[in-house]
Amino acid sequence: MSEGLFDGVLARGASGAGDRAWLQAMLDAEAALARARASVGQIPGDVAEAIAAACRAEDYDVASLGRDAVGGGNPAAPLAKALTARVEGAARGEVHRGFTSQDVLDTALMLVVARVRPALLGDLRGAADACAALAAEHRDTPIAGRTLLQQAVPTTFGLKAAGWAAGLDGAVARLDAFRPAAQLGGAAGTLASLGGEALAVRAAFAAGLGLDDPALPWHTDRGRIVGLAAALGGACAAVAKVAGDVVLLAQTEVGEVREATGGTSSTMPHKHNPVAAVSALGCARPAPGLVAAVLSAAGGHEHERAAGSWHAEWTPLRALLVAAISAAAWLRESVSGLEVDAERMRANIHELTLAEQAATALADETGRERANELVAEAAREGRLPEGADVDVGAATGSAGALVDRFLAGR
Amino acid sequence: MSEGLFDGVLARGASGAGDRAWLQAMLDAEAALARARASVGQIPGDVAEAIAAACRAEDYDVASLGRDAVGGGNPAAPLAKALTARVEGAARGEVHRGFTSQDVLDTALMLVVARVRPALLGDLRGAADACAALAAEHRDTPIAGRTLLQQAVPTTFGLKAAGWAAGLDGAVARLDAFRPAAQLGGAAGTLASLGGEALAVRAAFAAGLGLDDPALPWHTDRGRIVGLAAALGGACAAVAKVAGDVVLLAQTEVGEVREATGGTSSTMPHKHNPVAAVSALGCARPAPGLVAAVLSAAGGHEHERAAGSWHAEWTPLRALLVAAISAAAWLRESVSGLEVDAERMRANIHELTLAEQAATALADETGRERANELVAEAAREGRLPEGADVDVGAATGSAGALVDRFLAGR
Amino acid sequence: MSEGLFDGVLARGASGAGDRAWLQAMLDAEAALARARASVGQIPGDVAEAIAAACRAEDYDVASLGRDAVGGGNPAAPLAKALTARVEGAARGEVHRGFTSQDVLDTALMLVVARVRPALLGDLRGAADACAALAAEHRDTPIAGRTLLQQAVPTTFGLKAAGWAAGLDGAVARLDAFRPAAQLGGAAGTLASLGGEALAVRAAFAAGLGLDDPALPWHTDRGRIVGLAAALGGACAAVAKVAGDVVLLAQTEVGEVREATGGTSSTMPHKHNPVAAVSALGCARPAPGLVAAVLSAAGGHEHERAAGSWHAEWTPLRALLVAAISAAAWLRESVSGLEVDAERMRANIHELTLAEQAATALADETGRERANELVAEAAREGRLPEGADVDVGAATGSAGALVDRFLAGR
Amino acid sequence: MSEGLFDGVLARGASGAGDRAWLQAMLDAEAALARARASVGQIPGDVAEAIAAACRAEDYDVASLGRDAVGGGNPAAPLAKALTARVEGAARGEVHRGFTSQDVLDTALMLVVARVRPALLGDLRGAADACAALAAEHRDTPIAGRTLLQQAVPTTFGLKAAGWAAGLDGAVARLDAFRPAAQLGGAAGTLASLGGEALAVRAAFAAGLGLDDPALPWHTDRGRIVGLAAALGGACAAVAKVAGDVVLLAQTEVGEVREATGGTSSTMPHKHNPVAAVSALGCARPAPGLVAAVLSAAGGHEHERAAGSWHAEWTPLRALLVAAISAAAWLRESVSGLEVDAERMRANIHELTLAEQAATALADETGRERANELVAEAAREGRLPEGADVDVGAATGSAGALVDRFLAGR
C-alpha cells in the first residue's frame, strides 16, 4: 500500500487503507460539506462545486502534506490550506468552514472503512466459502481428532473445515454489523459556526457520503472506534485459528494438507512452506495488542476533545485495518485450492484412537471386562488386539450430520 | 463476590459472576444434559430427575471442589465426580455422559453471562438515563467547552451529558446484541457418545437452558468469546469516558459537579472525593489489557481442542466480567444524583472564549479588521474589549437542538 | 493458593502470592513503621513492640477484612482498624501513624515479590538446568531443524535444548535485576506527619524490611511496577517458548519427547498428554495482555496520587505474579525428566533435508551442475539420488561447538 | 521520518528509526559478515571490501526494495539480490553467504536501536535534567498536593518536579541496561554454511558492528525483544506521567504552568494549548498495547524459526520505537523552559488543606476537642476559623529535604 521497506512485506490488498485512500477520503469530506452547505443555501452551488472540483487526491502530494503536518498535530489543516490554494474567489473563504480537524479525520476514517470493507468481507467470505466447499467434499473423510495436540478420537476433515467456515462466517457477521457514521461538530461539538441550519447541513453531509448521521457528534464518544477495532480484531482471531490449523496440518511429519502456491527452494526441495497461512498468522498475531492500544485510547477522551487520546488511535487503528485486510487475503489464498491428502489423513490415524470401539466390539464375544483387559494389554504395545473389528467411519459420530446441518444453514 | 482480601475492594454487584454462580451454572448444564437425553429416550426420566435433583450449588463445597481441581486442568471433572457421589443406582452411570469438560465450562460461562447481563445492562441503562435526565435539565446550562483540557468555546452541560448518555447507550446496544450459546460436542466435537439422536439431544439441551443452539460445536471457534470480551471492554470504555469527565469536573479548581455520596474526611474537610467515579475508573482501566489477553487466547485454539489457550481465557475473561459489572454499578451511583453547580459552570467560562463573538459584534461598528485588532489588544490583557456585547447562550450554537434531537431519538 | 473454584486449576506453587501472604506483608509494614519510629524516639520501644506483636496474619480473618474493604477502596484501612483493636493503651493511637494506605499496599507488594522471588527464580533456574542437562546429554543427537513448522536442515536436540536454557537464563537475569523498594510518603508524599526525623524513620523502615530506600516516594512514579510487570511477562514469554516446543515435539505424529508425568486415560490409552507443558502455556498465554493492563495503569498516575490507576494495577499485577510463578513451576516439571526419543528424532529427519549435502558430495564425481540435476530429479520423488553419500552428523554444522560454548559460559 | 500522510504528525526526531536507517543497518550487516569471513580467510580481503563498498544506503531505492519484498516475507532477500547486482566477479557469489534473512533483520534491528538510543537517552535525560532544575528552583514553592484530582494537603512544586525527574531517570536506567546483540545462525541456527571457523566469523561479525556476541543464535529466544519492548514501554510510561501532570496543571482553571512554545490561535486568543505535552501523550498512550503485541509475538516462536511470530514483531516494535523516541523529544520540549506561575500555585491552594494545622494551632488555646469543632464549623462554610494561625510552608513536611536528598543522589 505504501512505499516503505516493510509496508508490503505482509500487506496484501491493503492499498485501500493506504495514504492515498485517506487523502481522497479527507477531500471527499471537504467536498461533501461544501455541497451540504450549498444545499441549505449557505453558499452558492457554484462555490461548492468549485471546491468539490478541487478535491481530487491525484492533484496533491502526500509527502508534502505529510511534511506540512509535522508539529501541527494532524494532516487536516495542511490539506485545508492546500485545497484553499487550489480554488479561487469566493470559494477561498468557504473551504473547510464549519469543520474542526477531527470532523475531517473521523469522517475520512469512516469512509476508508466503508470503502475497504467490501474487499475485506469478500476475502473473509471467499475463505469461508472455500472452507465450506472443503467441508462438503470431505464430509466423510476421516482424520484424527486432536486435543492438546495429541490424537484423541477420530473426526472428519469435513467437520474441521466446517468449523473453520463457521468461525469466518461469525467474523463476517460482526464486521458487517458495523455502521460507519459521519462526524460533524465543529470546535466544541455545538456546530456553532454552521448557524441555524446546522442539523440540516449535517444530514446532507452524511447523506452525501453515504454514512450514518448520528444524533450527536462523537468526538469523545469512541464507541464506534471500539466496535470497529473489536470487529477487526475478531476477524484476525478467526483467521488465526484457520491459518494455525493449516500450518499444523502441513507439518512435514503430518503432511495432510499443502498449499497450492506454497514456496519451494532449490536447496531444500522437500520444503513446501505454507507461505500464505504463515503470512496470515504474521498479520493476525499482533492484533490483540493493537486492539488493546485502540481501546486504551478510546476510553479516555476528555471533555469535548481529548488531550492526546485521539491522536493515539491512529497508529494502532491503521495498523489493525491493514492487518485484518491482509490476513483475510492471505487466508483466502491459503484455503482456496488447498491440497488435501485424504489418504495421509486416514493413515495418520493412530490405531489406538479406536480403542473404545474395539473394546465394545470385543465385549460381545468376551464380556466387557475381558474386552477391556485385552485392549489394555495390546495398547501397552501400541496396537489393538488382533481380531478387534474397528471402523473409523463409525467412530466419527455425528460429524456428517453436523456438516449437513451447518451447510444447510449458511 | 468472593471472600478474598482484594475481591471486594472495587467489585460491586458482581456476586452473579462469582464462584457460587459458576458452580450453579455448571450443575445446571449437567441437569440439562440429563433431561435432554431423557427427552429422546436415552435414559429414563426418573434417572434424569434424580441427577437434576442433585444439581443444587448449596450442596457442594466450592473450596473442596477447587482443591480437587488442582492439577486436573479444570473444575468440571471433580464436579462430575462429586455429583455422581450424590446420586444412586442407574443415575451413577449417566452423570456427565456425553460431555467433555469444555462442554460444561463453556456452557456455564454462557449461563453466567446470560444471568448477570440484565443487571449489567440495568446499571448501564440506569447510568445512561441519569445522564439523559441531566441533559434535559441542563439543556441550556452554559459550560466551557474544553479541548486538550483548555477552554475553547462555550457549550452546554446538557450537550455534554447527552454525549455521556449516547456513549452508554452504544455500550448497551453492543452488549445486548451478544447471543449466549450452548456448547455440546464431546471429546472431539463429533457428539460420538450421544448416538444417532445427538443433534436432538443438543437442541433439547440448549432449549432447556434458554441458550442458542449453534450448528456446530465451537470448542476452538472462539468468535463468541471475542465478541463477549469486546462488548465488555466497550462497556468499560464508555464508562471510563463519563467517569473521567466527572473526576475532571469535580476537581477542586473546577468544582462544577460533585457526587452526592462522595467521601469526606475529618482531617481534610474540604475534600469531597468522587469515590464512585474513581472506583469506576479503577475497574475500567485494566479492561483493554484484559481484552487483549482474551483475544490472544481466543485466536490460537489448535485443532479440536487447544493446548492451553482455552485455560488461558478464564483469568482475563472472569476479571473482565467483574470489571464491567462493577464499573457500570459505580458509574450509575456516580451520575445518579450528581450535584451540578450551574453557577460555577457559568462563572468558570473564560471571557475570551467569546472572543470571536465579540469581534463579530464590534465589526458592525468598526469594521472587521479594526474589531479584530481591538479584540487582540484586549486579549493580551486577558479580557474582552469594553463594550463588546457578548452572550454566552448565543455562543452555544446548536447545543440545545442537538440535545432535543438526541432525547427524542432514545 | 486461594479457595476459589478456578484458583487452583493452573496455579502451582503460588501460595506465596495469595491473600494470606499479602496480609502478613501488610502487617509487617505496620510493624516495621512502628519500630522505625521507635528507633528515632518518636514512640517508646514497648509501644512499637506491642504493635509488632499484634502483627501476625493468623490472628486476622481474611474474609472479614475483605468484606470491610468493600467500598473503602483498599484493605489497608480496615486492617489498620483491626490491628488497632488488638492493641491497648498508648499503642492504639500509634498504629498506622505516618502511613497513607498506598504506603502499606505498595510496600506489601514489594515484600510479597521479594518473598516469592526465590521460589520463582528457583523454578526458572531448575527448568534451565534441566534443559542444560539435556543439551549436554544430547550434544550430538540429530534432530530435524524446523522453520515455519517445516523440516529445513538438520540440527541437534542439544542445540535446541541449549536455546531453551538460554531463554530461561535470560528471564532469570531480568527478574533478578529487579530491586524491591519500600514506600513511605504519607498523604501527599511529603512525610509531613513524621516530623523532622521523617527521612531517618523511612531509612529504618526500609532497612527493617530488607527493602531499598529510594530517594523519593514513588506513589505516582510507577517505573518499578512497569519493571516488575515486564520481568514477569518476560519470564512467561521464555516459558511459553519452551513449553510450546515440548507440545509440538510431543505430538502423536512427531513423538520425539514425552513428559515423564503426562496424563493417561483408560478410554484413550495412546494419549499421553503433555499436561505440564500445556498448563505452562495456559498460564503464560494471557501474560502479554496482563502486562499491557499494568502498563496502562502505570503510565497515568495523576499528581500526588492517582484517580483510579493505582487500584487498576492490582488485578492484572496479582494475576501476572501467579501466572509467572505457576508457569515456571509447570515448566520445571515438564522438562525435568523429559523422555527423549533420540531414535525417533533421527528417523523423523526427512532424507531431503540433506539435499544440499548430497549435491555437494555428488559434485565431486559429476560436477556441480549435473549433481544438482540428479538431486532435483530424485527430489521430485521425495528421495535422494542413489549413491549419494550423506551424513546427518556432518550436516549439523557448529551445533556441538555452540552447545559447548553455551554450557561453558553458564 | 517517513513520507507518509500521518508519519510526521506526532513523530519527532525519529528519522533514525526510519526506512533509510533500517536499510543502512541491513547493509552494514552484509558488509560486516563479508569482512568477518575475510578475517578468518574464508574469502579474500578485496572481495569483502568490494562488497562493503557497495553497502551504502544512498545507492538503493527504498520504494523499489519495498516492492520487491512483497510476498517474499521480508526485505532481506531483495536487498541481497540488489547488493549482488552492484558487485562484480568473485564477490557476486559471496554476498549474504552464511546468512539467513532473520540474521540480517535481527542484527539490523539491534543496530538501529544502538544508533537511535543515544538521542533517545539524550532526550529522556534532557527532560529529566529540566525537571531536576525545576525541582531545585522551586524547592520551596508551595503547591496543592492533589490526590484523586482533589486538593489534599500542600506539597511543593519542587517535590513534584523531583518526582518527574526520578521517573525519567528510572526509564533511562532501564533503557541503558539493554545490550544490543548480533544475530548469526544460518538456516537452522547451526552456522552450518560457515564451516569450522563459524564461531570465529561470528565473533568478528559482532565486533565489527559493535554488538554483543551471544553464545547462541537467538532466532527463537526472544528475550532480547521482550526486554527492548519493555524498556521502550517503560520510557513511554514515564513520559506519560509527566506529560499528564503538565496538561492538568496547564488547565485553564488551574493555570499553574504553561509551555513556552504552546500553540495560540487568533480566534481563541486565551487558548494556550500544551501542544508538546499533548503530543507526548499521543505518542505514549498506545505503548502498552504495542508492548502486548510484541510480547504476544515474542513468546511463541516455534522450533528453529517461527511460523509468523517473527514477522508479527515488526509492526508493533517499529511503532514502539518511534513512539518512545517521539514521546521523549516532545516531553523534553514541554518541560524545557516550562513557565511556572508560583503565585498562582500559592493562590490556588484551598484554605482548608490546612485544616489539620489550624486545629493543632487552635488546640493550644482551646483544647483539641474544641479546636476540632471550630474547624469543622468553619469548614462547612468553606473557610478556616478566624484567628487560626496557619503557614503553608510548615505544612509541606519534608518536601525540601526530599528534594535535596534526590538532587544530591543524581
Side-chain angles (χ1 to χ4, degrees):
Chain A
M1 49 147 216
S2 153
E3 304 279 270
L5 200 53
F6 288 86
D7 294 318
V9 168
L10 290 184
R12 195 178 170 89
S15 64
D19 280 354
R20 196 145 290 280
W22 270 87
L23 178 55
Q24 186 58 59
M26 291 167 68
L27 288 164
D28 289 342
E30 294 284 359
L33 180 59
R35 284 173 169 152
R37 293 178 62 217
S39 77
V40 302
Q42 288 193 348
I43 58 172
D46 60 348
V47 166
E49 289 312 312
I51 292 173
C55 289
R56 295 180 313 186
E58 57 267 38
D59 296 336
Y60 298 82
D61 180 37
V62 165
S64 144
L65 287 167
R67 278 190 298 274
D68 292 346
V70 173
N74 69 69
L79 178 60
K81 204 173 153 193
L83 172 55
T84 303
R86 295 189 71 89
V87 296
E88 294 185 347
R92 295 214 148 196
E94 302 298 344
V95 164
H96 194 73
R97 192 150 187 178
F99 269 148
T100 190
S101 292
Q102 190 170 351
D103 291 331
V104 179
L105 280 156
D106 279 350
T107 298
L109 165 64
M110 291 287 147
L111 281 176
V112 165
V113 170
R115 288 166 183 176
V116 299
R117 184 163 54 171
L120 169 52
L121 289 175
D123 280 337
L124 289 171
R125 286 192 184 111
D129 289 348
C131 293
L134 289 169
E137 185 182 347
H138 293 281
R139 181 190 184 279
D140 300 312
T141 302
I143 189 175
R146 294 165 175 109
T147 62
L148 316 194
L149 289 180
Q150 296 282 306
Q151 291 196 11
V153 293
T155 180
T156 65
F157 181 60
L159 181 55
K160 183 186 276 277
W164 294 349
L168 295 165
D169 286 350
V172 164
R174 279 186 295 273
L175 250 173
D176 209 31
F178 177 73
R179 299 190 55 98
Q183 175 71 285
L184 185 59
T190 61
L191 295 161
S193 55
L194 286 171
E197 310 88 356
L199 286 176
V201 171
R202 200 184 64 183
F205 171 70
L209 294 167
L211 299 173
D212 271 10
D213 178 31
L216 298 177
W218 45 280
H219 293 140
T220 56
D221 163 19
R222 309 306 279 173
R224 282 171 188 82
I225 302 297
V226 170
L228 174 60
L232 295 170
C236 288
V239 166
K241 155 63 183 165
V242 185
D245 276 2
V246 168
V247 169
L248 288 170
L249 293 175
Q251 288 175 99
T252 309
E253 299 83 2
V254 178
E256 299 180 359
V257 304
R258 186 179 157 110
E259 284 187 355
T261 58
T264 51
S265 137
S266 60
T267 58
M268 297 192 275
H270 57 296
K271 213 163 184 273
H272 192 84
N273 288 329
V275 168
V278 167
S279 298
L281 284 178
C283 294
R285 283 246 164 85
L290 297 174
V291 170
V294 174
L295 263 68
S296 283
H301 285 233
E302 299 94 351
H303 293 317
E304 279 58 65
R305 267 185 299 123
S309 290
W310 174 52
H311 302 79
E313 292 171 359
W314 298 333
T315 293
L317 195 50
R318 289 167 64 236
L320 194 54
L321 197 52
V322 171
I325 292 169
S326 305
W330 283 114
L331 184 70
R332 184 181 193 172
E333 175 174 320
S334 175
V335 292
S336 298
L338 191 73
E339 297 170 12
V340 176
D341 189 337
E343 281 179 42
R344 184 83 182 261
M345 286 178 180
R346 178 65 190 85
N348 277 345
I349 297 174
H350 194 294
E351 201 174 346
L352 288 178
T353 59
L354 300 168
E356 197 169 10
Q357 197 189 44
T360 305
L362 286 172
D364 292 343
E365 295 172 43
T366 67
R368 187 79 206 180
E369 206 167 328
R370 178 69 191 135
N372 284 347
E373 280 171 25
L374 286 168
V375 168
E377 261 170 48
R380 276 191 286 278
E381 290 160 37
R383 53 173 187 83
L384 289 180
E386 311 229 343
D389 193 23
V390 291
D391 167 16
V392 168
T396 60
S398 298
L402 287 163
V403 170
D404 296 342
R405 164 93 179 263
F406 171 68
L407 293 176
R410 279 194 90 211
Chain B
M1 49 146 214
S2 152
E3 304 278 270
L5 200 53
F6 289 85
D7 294 317
V9 169
L10 291 184
R12 196 177 170 90
S15 64
D19 281 353
R20 198 145 288 280
W22 271 87
L23 177 56
Q24 186 60 58
M26 291 167 69
L27 288 165
D28 289 342
E30 295 284 359
L33 180 60
R35 284 172 168 151
R37 293 178 62 218
S39 78
V40 302
Q42 288 194 345
I43 56 172
D46 60 347
V47 165
E49 288 314 310
I51 292 173
C55 288
R56 294 181 313 187
E58 58 267 37
D59 296 335
Y60 297 82
D61 179 38
V62 164
S64 145
L65 288 167
R67 278 191 298 275
D68 292 345
V70 173
N74 69 68
L79 179 60
K81 202 172 154 196
L83 172 54
T84 302
R86 295 189 71 87
V87 296
E88 295 185 347
R92 295 213 148 197
E94 302 298 344
V95 165
H96 195 74
R97 192 150 186 177
F99 269 148
T100 188
S101 292
Q102 191 171 351
D103 291 331
V104 179
L105 281 156
D106 278 351
T107 299
L109 165 64
M110 291 287 147
L111 281 176
V112 166
V113 170
R115 288 167 183 177
V116 299
R117 185 162 56 169
L120 169 52
L121 289 174
D123 280 336
L124 289 171
R125 285 191 183 113
D129 289 348
C131 293
L134 289 169
E137 184 182 346
H138 293 281
R139 180 190 186 278
D140 301 311
T141 302
I143 190 175
R146 296 167 173 108
T147 62
L148 317 194
L149 288 181
Q150 296 281 307
Q151 290 196 12
V153 294
T155 181
T156 65
F157 180 62
L159 181 54
K160 182 184 277 277
W164 295 347
L168 295 166
D169 286 349
V172 164
R174 279 186 295 274
L175 250 173
D176 211 31
F178 177 72
R179 299 190 56 99
Q183 175 71 286
L184 185 58
T190 61
L191 296 161
S193 55
L194 286 171
E197 310 88 356
L199 286 176
V201 171
R202 200 184 65 182
F205 172 68
L209 294 167
L211 299 173
D212 272 11
D213 177 30
L216 298 178
W218 44 279
H219 293 140
T220 56
D221 163 20
R222 309 307 280 173
R224 281 172 189 82
I225 302 297
V226 170
L228 173 61
L232 295 171
C236 288
V239 166
K241 155 63 181 166
V242 184
D245 277 3
V246 168
V247 169
L248 289 169
L249 293 175
Q251 287 174 101
T252 309
E253 300 83 3
V254 178
E256 299 181 359
V257 303
R258 183 180 158 111
E259 284 187 356
T261 58
T264 51
S265 136
S266 60
T267 59
M268 298 193 274
H270 58 295
K271 211 160 185 273
H272 192 85
N273 289 328
V275 169
V278 167
S279 298
L281 284 177
C283 295
R285 284 243 164 89
L290 297 174
V291 171
V294 175
L295 264 68
S296 285
H301 286 231
E302 301 94 350
H303 294 316
E304 278 58 66
R305 269 185 296 124
S309 290
W310 173 53
H311 302 79
E313 292 172 0
W314 299 334
T315 293
L317 194 51
R318 288 166 65 235
L320 193 54
L321 195 54
V322 171
I325 292 170
S326 305
W330 282 115
L331 184 70
R332 184 181 194 173
E333 174 174 321
S334 175
V335 293
S336 298
L338 192 73
E339 297 170 11
V340 176
D341 190 337
E343 282 180 41
R344 183 83 181 260
M345 286 177 179
R346 177 64 191 85
N348 277 345
I349 297 174
H350 194 294
E351 205 175 342
L352 288 178
T353 59
L354 299 168
E356 197 168 12
Q357 196 189 49
T360 305
L362 286 171
D364 292 344
E365 295 172 42
T366 66
R368 187 79 204 183
E369 206 166 328
R370 178 69 189 134
N372 284 347
E373 279 170 26
L374 286 169
V375 168
E377 260 168 48
R380 276 190 286 279
E381 291 160 35
R383 54 174 185 83
L384 288 180
E386 311 231 343
D389 194 22
V390 291
D391 168 15
V392 168
T396 60
S398 297
L402 287 163
V403 170
D404 296 343
R405 163 93 177 265
F406 171 70
L407 293 176
R410 279 194 91 213
Chain C
M1 48 145 217
S2 153
E3 305 279 273
L5 201 54
F6 289 85
D7 294 317
V9 168
L10 291 183
R12 196 177 170 89
S15 63
D19 280 354
R20 196 145 290 280
W22 270 87
L23 177 56
Q24 186 59 59
M26 291 167 69
L27 287 165
D28 290 341
E30 294 284 359
L33 180 60
R35 285 172 169 151
R37 292 179 61 218
S39 76
V40 303
Q42 288 193 348
I43 57 172
D46 61 348
V47 167
E49 289 314 311
I51 292 173
C55 289
R56 295 181 314 187
E58 58 267 38
D59 296 335
Y60 297 81
D61 179 39
V62 165
S64 144
L65 287 167
R67 278 191 297 274
D68 292 346
V70 173
N74 69 67
L79 179 61
K81 202 172 154 194
L83 171 55
T84 302
R86 295 189 72 87
V87 296
E88 294 184 348
R92 296 212 148 196
E94 303 297 345
V95 165
H96 195 73
R97 192 152 186 175
F99 269 148
T100 188
S101 291
Q102 191 171 352
D103 291 331
V104 180
L105 280 157
D106 279 349
T107 299
L109 165 64
M110 291 288 148
L111 281 176
V112 166
V113 170
R115 288 166 183 176
V116 299
R117 183 163 55 171
L120 169 52
L121 288 174
D123 280 336
L124 289 170
R125 284 190 185 113
D129 289 348
C131 293
L134 289 170
E137 185 182 346
H138 293 281
R139 181 190 185 278
D140 300 312
T141 302
I143 190 175
R146 296 167 173 107
T147 62
L148 316 195
L149 289 181
Q150 295 282 307
Q151 291 196 11
V153 294
T155 180
T156 65
F157 181 61
L159 181 55
K160 182 185 276 276
W164 294 348
L168 294 166
D169 286 350
V172 164
R174 279 185 296 273
L175 249 173
D176 210 31
F178 177 73
R179 299 191 56 97
Q183 175 71 286
L184 185 58
T190 61
L191 295 161
S193 55
L194 287 171
E197 310 88 356
L199 286 176
V201 171
R202 201 184 65 182
F205 171 69
L209 294 167
L211 298 173
D212 272 10
D213 178 29
L216 298 178
W218 45 279
H219 293 139
T220 56
D221 163 20
R222 308 307 280 173
R224 281 171 189 83
I225 302 297
V226 170
L228 174 60
L232 295 171
C236 288
V239 167
K241 155 64 181 165
V242 184
D245 277 3
V246 168
V247 169
L248 289 170
L249 293 176
Q251 286 174 101
T252 308
E253 299 82 3
V254 178
E256 299 181 0
V257 303
R258 183 179 159 111
E259 284 187 355
T261 58
T264 50
S265 136
S266 59
T267 58
M268 297 193 273
H270 58 294
K271 210 160 187 271
H272 192 85
N273 288 329
V275 168
V278 167
S279 298
L281 285 177
C283 295
R285 283 244 164 86
L290 297 174
V291 171
V294 175
L295 264 68
S296 285
H301 285 233
E302 300 95 351
H303 294 315
E304 279 59 66
R305 268 185 298 124
S309 290
W310 173 52
H311 302 78
E313 292 171 0
W314 299 334
T315 293
L317 194 51
R318 288 167 65 235
L320 193 54
L321 196 53
V322 171
I325 292 170
S326 305
W330 282 115
L331 185 70
R332 184 181 194 172
E333 175 174 320
S334 174
V335 293
S336 298
L338 191 73
E339 297 170 12
V340 176
D341 189 338
E343 281 179 41
R344 183 84 183 260
M345 287 178 179
R346 178 64 190 83
N348 277 345
I349 297 174
H350 195 294
E351 202 175 346
L352 287 179
T353 60
L354 299 168
E356 197 167 11
Q357 197 190 47
T360 305
L362 286 171
D364 292 343
E365 296 171 41
T366 65
R368 186 79 205 180
E369 205 167 328
R370 179 68 190 136
N372 284 346
E373 280 171 25
L374 286 168
V375 168
E377 260 169 47
R380 275 192 287 278
E381 290 160 36
R383 55 174 186 82
L384 289 180
E386 311 232 343
D389 194 22
V390 290
D391 167 16
V392 168
T396 60
S398 297
L402 286 164
V403 170
D404 296 342
R405 164 93 177 264
F406 171 71
L407 292 176
R410 280 193 91 212
Chain D
M1 49 147 216
S2 153
E3 305 278 273
L5 200 54
F6 289 85
D7 294 318
V9 168
L10 291 183
R12 196 178 169 89
S15 63
D19 280 354
R20 195 145 291 280
W22 271 87
L23 178 56
Q24 186 59 59
M26 290 167 69
L27 288 164
D28 290 342
E30 295 283 0
L33 180 60
R35 284 172 169 153
R37 292 178 62 218
S39 76
V40 302
Q42 288 194 348
I43 57 172
D46 61 349
V47 166
E49 289 313 312
I51 292 173
C55 288
R56 295 179 313 184
E58 57 267 37
D59 297 336
Y60 298 82
D61 180 38
V62 165
S64 143
L65 288 167
R67 278 190 298 273
D68 292 345
V70 172
N74 69 67
L79 179 60
K81 202 173 155 194
L83 172 55
T84 302
R86 294 189 72 88
V87 296
E88 294 184 347
R92 296 213 147 196
E94 303 296 345
V95 164
H96 195 73
R97 190 150 187 178
F99 269 148
T100 188
S101 292
Q102 190 170 352
D103 291 332
V104 179
L105 280 156
D106 278 350
T107 298
L109 165 65
M110 290 288 147
L111 281 175
V112 165
V113 170
R115 287 165 184 177
V116 299
R117 183 163 56 170
L120 169 52
L121 289 174
D123 279 337
L124 288 171
R125 285 193 183 110
D129 289 348
C131 293
L134 289 169
E137 185 182 347
H138 293 282
R139 179 190 185 279
D140 300 312
T141 302
I143 189 174
R146 294 166 175 109
T147 61
L148 316 195
L149 288 181
Q150 296 283 305
Q151 291 196 10
V153 293
T155 181
T156 65
F157 181 60
L159 181 55
K160 182 186 277 276
W164 295 348
L168 295 165
D169 286 350
V172 164
R174 278 186 296 274
L175 250 173
D176 211 30
F178 177 73
R179 300 190 56 98
Q183 175 71 287
L184 185 58
T190 61
L191 295 161
S193 55
L194 286 171
E197 309 89 357
L199 286 176
V201 171
R202 200 184 65 182
F205 172 69
L209 294 167
L211 298 173
D212 272 10
D213 178 30
L216 298 178
W218 45 280
H219 292 140
T220 55
D221 163 19
R222 308 307 278 174
R224 282 171 187 82
I225 301 297
V226 169
L228 174 60
L232 295 171
C236 288
V239 166
K241 155 65 181 164
V242 184
D245 277 2
V246 168
V247 168
L248 288 170
L249 294 175
Q251 286 174 100
T252 309
E253 300 83 2
V254 178
E256 299 181 0
V257 304
R258 186 179 156 109
E259 284 187 356
T261 57
T264 52
S265 136
S266 60
T267 58
M268 297 191 274
H270 58 295
K271 212 162 186 273
H272 191 85
N273 288 330
V275 168
V278 167
S279 298
L281 284 178
C283 295
R285 283 244 165 87
L290 297 174
V291 171
V294 175
L295 263 69
S296 283
H301 285 233
E302 299 94 352
H303 293 316
E304 279 58 65
R305 267 184 299 122
S309 290
W310 174 51
H311 303 80
E313 292 171 359
W314 298 333
T315 293
L317 195 51
R318 289 167 64 236
L320 193 53
L321 196 53
V322 171
I325 293 170
S326 305
W330 282 115
L331 184 70
R332 185 182 193 171
E333 175 175 320
S334 175
V335 293
S336 298
L338 191 73
E339 297 170 12
V340 176
D341 189 338
E343 282 180 41
R344 183 84 183 260
M345 286 177 179
R346 177 65 190 85
N348 277 345
I349 297 174
H350 194 294
E351 201 175 346
L352 287 178
T353 60
L354 300 168
E356 197 169 10
Q357 198 189 48
T360 305
L362 285 172
D364 293 343
E365 294 172 43
T366 65
R368 187 79 206 182
E369 206 167 328
R370 178 69 190 134
N372 283 347
E373 281 172 22
L374 286 169
V375 169
E377 262 169 46
R380 277 191 285 277
E381 290 160 36
R383 54 173 187 83
L384 289 179
E386 311 230 344
D389 193 23
V390 292
D391 168 15
V392 168
T396 60
S398 297
L402 287 163
V403 170
D404 296 343
R405 164 93 179 264
F406 171 69
L407 293 176
R410 279 194 89 211

